[in-house]
Amino acid sequence: MKNEQIHEHTHGPGHEHAHEHIHGHSHSHEAHKHVHSMEEKKAVINRLSKAIGHLEAVKRMVERDEDCSEVLIQLAAVRSAINNTGKVILKNHINHCIVEAVEEGDQEAIELLNQAIDKFMK
């Protein structure tokens, strides 16, 4: 017989849940707590660090009045790096958190994922 449990989730207007997940903190649905592996977190943090460094380089280009076309090309590269990082996070989330949520019948986790995808894809 499956145990029934009552769960409370608080998600304010800023969706703190998504914010905490991005920063690599544990993230819970229902009664379990899922913690991403150090390898997964390190890969995402490395990607973000590279994107931050690249964006800082673009900022310096603007400060030096470098060619606007080149600045736009480099901004596109930063945007691509951020989007690819988002894909990595999304895949990890689906492979771990959402698989667990489906197994446990946690429909709220799936709805939160759909909301996050809508915001990410804007």
Side-chain angles (χ1 to χ4, degrees):
M1 184 170 164
K2 190 174 184 180
N3 292 336
E4 290 186 21
Q5 301 170 356
I6 298 172
H7 305 89
E8 291 185 31
H9 293 273
T10 56
H11 301 283
H15 296 286
E16 287 80 8
H17 172 273
H19 180 72
E20 290 176 2
H21 184 68
I22 289 170
H23 284 90
H25 297 171
S26 64
H27 122 318
S28 62
H29 289 279
E30 310 243 343
H32 78 273
K33 202 175 220 186
H34 179 82
V35 179
H36 293 278
S37 74
M38 287 305 292
E39 185 177 299
E40 289 171 331
K41 284 195 268 188
K42 186 175 180 180
V44 169
I45 290 167
N46 285 343
R47 284 174 173 269
L48 290 171
S49 294
K50 286 179 184 178
I52 290 166
H54 197 159
L55 187 56
E56 288 289 338
V58 174
K59 180 181 171 189
R60 288 189 298 275
M61 289 174 69
V62 172
E63 290 169 345
R64 292 188 304 255
D65 290 321
E66 292 192 24
D67 181 66
C68 294
S69 297
E70 193 58 35
V71 170
L72 290 171
I73 290 167
Q74 294 306 314
L75 277 176
V78 171
R79 184 175 48 228
S80 177
I82 291 168
N83 286 339
N84 286 333
T85 303
K87 287 179 195 177
V88 169
I89 292 169
L90 179 59
K91 287 177 182 181
N92 286 341
H93 186 56
I94 290 170
N95 289 331
H96 300 292
C97 308
I98 297 301
V99 167
E100 290 175 9
V102 168
E103 289 171 352
E104 296 176 7
D106 183 358
Q107 193 62 36
E108 183 181 6
I110 296 166
E111 180 56 34
L112 289 172
L113 172 60
N114 285 327
Q115 291 171 11
I117 290 171
D118 287 344
K119 289 179 186 282
F120 183 71
M121 299 300 283
K122 280 186 177 182

